[in-house]
Amino acid sequence: MGRIPHRPGGPWTGIFLAASILGSYLQPAPAQTPTPVTIVLTPPSPAVGGGVSLAPPNPPQDFTSCSWYRSATADGNSQILTYNPGPPPVQTNGLAHTGRETAGLDCSLHIAGLMLNDTGSYTVQIQSPTSPVLTTVHLPVSASVLGSCLQPAPAQTPVTIVLTSPSPAVGGGVSLAPQNQPQDFTSCSWYRSDNTDASSRILSYFPGPPPVQTNGSAHTGRETAGPGCALHIAGLRLSDTGNYTVDIQSPTSPGLGTVHLPVSASVLGSCLQLAPAQTPVTIVLTPPSPAVGGGVSLAPQNPPQDFVSCSWYRSATTDPSSRILSYFPGPPPVQNNDLTHTGRETAGPGCALHIAGLRLNDTGSYTVDIQSPTSPAVTTTVHLPVSAPVAPRPGLSAGAVAGIFIGSLAGAVLVGVGAYFLYSRCRNETPKETGAPVLVYENLPPKAGVGPVAQPGSPPDPSPMYQTLQPRQQDVYEELKK
């Protein structure tokens, strides 16, 4: 076959040009590749029993969520948690969550009570519309002596723990406060024993921001952590008597301390002195009749001035499964949300509970438990009635108002016309004056000589004497008076 002749400006030039333009439109947009970053471990050589933070430096400012995985890939079965910055911040735990992991505001992952089997790869996936991140880091967990490449870890500073009140009794509350804790502590864990055995861990506390509390296997639902690593226990029981240990993690001066907590019966506490009288606390609803869609505040009246925490429950009891939140006045104030928190509840000064966007199913009993180091725990319940909003009665339209006015006016006119006709009729029935003279009758005495003449000595005539009525003629004067 002969060669196809090529002429400048021929049809092939147009075909190639069209194909080139069409190809530019059909090419897929470049996919947004996740940016690899370096994850920083703090401390750099974590050891068994301690804690560690895995922090991606400078996460995207517009990130919408971040997920952590206990593997080298973003496999759903290895997901530890997903963190959404909010507001409010929300942490959703995954299949690989052990109860010791929490997320921070900067997408960091905090792990408390490290174990040797925590060693491995950890992956973070940060979702962002502009610069997503996907990166992996290896976490080495060593035994305490062998940590840091056979270099001894920083010596643990002995920690002194102060009890407030010093003689706690059954039914009351107590605070276990470490003294002079390091300013740069990253976490602290409390144990119901004289050692840091993981099975006796009550909780771990991360100062944040925001502060985060993760409960352990020895948590009874009555323990909360506060600023300064303090442990608050409410509703004390005799079985709470025992040793309590705090393990404070710090990159410069970790601390470890143990204290014995004696819990006595109420009557025998404080050297046979009676516990201080409990001040009655009532709860006031504002507004008093909350309705669907509105908001309400449940404010305890006269709470203890030195209270250290208060917890709200969506029930008539302090069952941990019904706890909404716990509030610590600080400074700074801290709120820890719990199982029955719906995202619409916040705590305020004075232990008040604020609920927004009320629903009918918010109706029910609410209980507050207020802890104070100087007075017994205060527990008060209030019933919250939530009513459906009252539909406003439809107002009269302008046409209806005008119709009523016109009808009233017409009725008034008809009444006036009827009254006029009645008045005219009454006047027509009254005799009218005419020009004819009015007859006036007068009595005239009987004329003499009329009838029989009475004889002398005869009895009087018993027949009555009638006078004659006769028309009287009017004189000229009376005519002129007219």
Side-chain angles (χ1 to χ4, degrees):
M1 294 180 62
R3 210 179 69 171
I4 299 176
H6 172 70
R7 290 182 296 125
W12 291 104
T13 303
I15 292 174
F16 289 138
L17 180 60
S20 175
I21 296 173
L22 183 60
S24 65
Y25 282 101
L26 293 179
Q27 288 179 359
Q32 213 170 31
T33 305
T35 305
V37 297
T38 301
I39 297 177
V40 176
L41 302 182
T42 305
S45 301
V48 169
V52 68
S53 293
L54 291 71
N58 302 319
Q61 296 296 317
D62 60 348
F63 80 90
T64 57
S65 68
C66 56
S67 301
W68 280 93
Y69 302 86
R70 197 183 300 273
S71 67
T73 62
D75 177 23
N77 293 327
S78 64
Q79 185 182 20
I80 303 171
L81 56 82
T82 297
Y83 172 78
N84 301 94
V90 176
Q91 173 180 318
T92 305
N93 299 331
L95 296 175
H97 191 269
T98 67
R100 298 176 291 120
E101 300 87 1
T102 53
L105 287 178
D106 55 352
C107 276
S108 56
L109 176 67
H110 309 293
I111 307 176
L114 286 170
M115 308 173 184
L116 282 176
N117 59 7
D118 288 327
T119 298
S121 296
Y122 288 76
T123 298
V124 63
Q125 183 177 33
I126 303 177
Q127 300 293 338
S128 166
T130 58
S131 51
V133 173
L134 181 66
T135 194
T136 301
V137 67
H138 180 73
L139 172 63
V141 179
S142 60
S144 302
V145 178
L146 300 176
S148 305
C149 299
L150 298 181
Q151 294 180 4
Q156 282 188 320
T157 305
V159 175
T160 303
I161 301 173
V162 174
L163 301 182
T164 309
S165 63
S167 301
V170 169
V174 68
S175 294
L176 291 69
Q179 303 299 294
N180 303 318
Q181 72 277 4
Q183 296 297 315
D184 60 348
F185 79 91
T186 57
S187 69
C188 59
S189 299
W190 280 93
Y191 300 85
R192 198 182 299 274
S193 67
D194 55 3
N195 56 53
T196 58
D197 179 23
S199 62
S200 65
R201 186 173 69 92
I202 304 171
L203 55 83
S204 294
Y205 173 77
F206 303 90
V212 175
Q213 171 182 320
T214 60
N215 300 330
S217 56
H219 191 268
T220 67
R222 298 175 292 118
E223 300 87 1
T224 52
C229 281
L231 176 67
H232 310 293
I233 308 175
L236 286 169
R237 306 166 184 168
L238 284 175
S239 58
D240 290 326
T241 298
N243 293 324
Y244 289 76
T245 297
V246 63
D247 180 17
I248 302 177
Q249 296 296 319
S250 164
T252 58
S253 54
L256 186 69
T258 300
V259 67
H260 180 75
L261 172 63
V263 180
S264 60
S266 302
V267 178
L268 299 177
S270 304
C271 299
L272 297 180
Q273 293 180 2
L274 295 178
Q278 181 171 331
T279 305
V281 174
T282 57
I283 300 175
V284 174
L285 303 183
T286 306
S289 301
V292 170
V296 69
S297 294
L298 291 70
Q301 304 299 295
N302 305 315
Q305 296 297 315
D306 60 347
F307 78 91
V308 294
S309 71
C310 58
S311 299
W312 279 94
Y313 301 83
R314 199 181 300 274
S315 68
T317 65
T318 56
D319 179 17
S321 63
S322 66
R323 186 164 51 216
I324 304 171
L325 55 82
S326 295
Y327 173 77
F328 306 91
V334 174
Q335 171 180 321
N336 289 336
N337 300 332
D338 221 302
L339 294 175
T340 60
H341 190 270
T342 67
R344 299 176 291 118
E345 299 87 1
T346 53
C351 280
L353 176 68
H354 310 291
I355 308 176
L358 286 170
R359 306 166 184 167
L360 281 177
N361 59 8
D362 289 326
T363 297
S365 296
Y366 288 75
T367 299
V368 64
D369 180 24
I370 304 175
Q371 296 295 322
S372 165
T374 59
S375 58
V378 175
T379 303
T380 305
T381 301
V382 68
H383 180 73
L384 172 62
V386 180
S387 59
V390 179
R393 294 183 178 180
L396 295 175
S397 62
V401 173
I404 293 174
F405 175 74
I406 294 173
S408 301
L409 186 60
V413 171
L414 290 175
V415 171
V417 171
Y420 174 75
F421 278 109
L422 288 175
Y423 174 73
S424 300
R425 184 177 180 183
C426 291
R427 287 196 59 187
N428 290 337
E429 292 177 356
T430 303
K432 294 184 180 179
E433 294 185 358
T434 61
V438 179
L439 295 179
V440 178
Y441 294 86
E442 61 181 357
N443 297 325
L444 297 178
K447 294 181 181 180
V450 178
V453 179
Q455 298 298 323
S458 62
D461 189 359
S463 61
M465 296 178 64
Y466 292 95
Q467 296 180 346
T468 304
L469 293 176
Q470 175 177 326
R472 179 172 61 87
Q473 297 295 329
Q474 293 180 345
D475 56 13
V476 177
Y477 175 74
E478 290 176 341
E479 290 291 335
L480 290 176
K481 279 177 60 179
K482 293 181 179 179

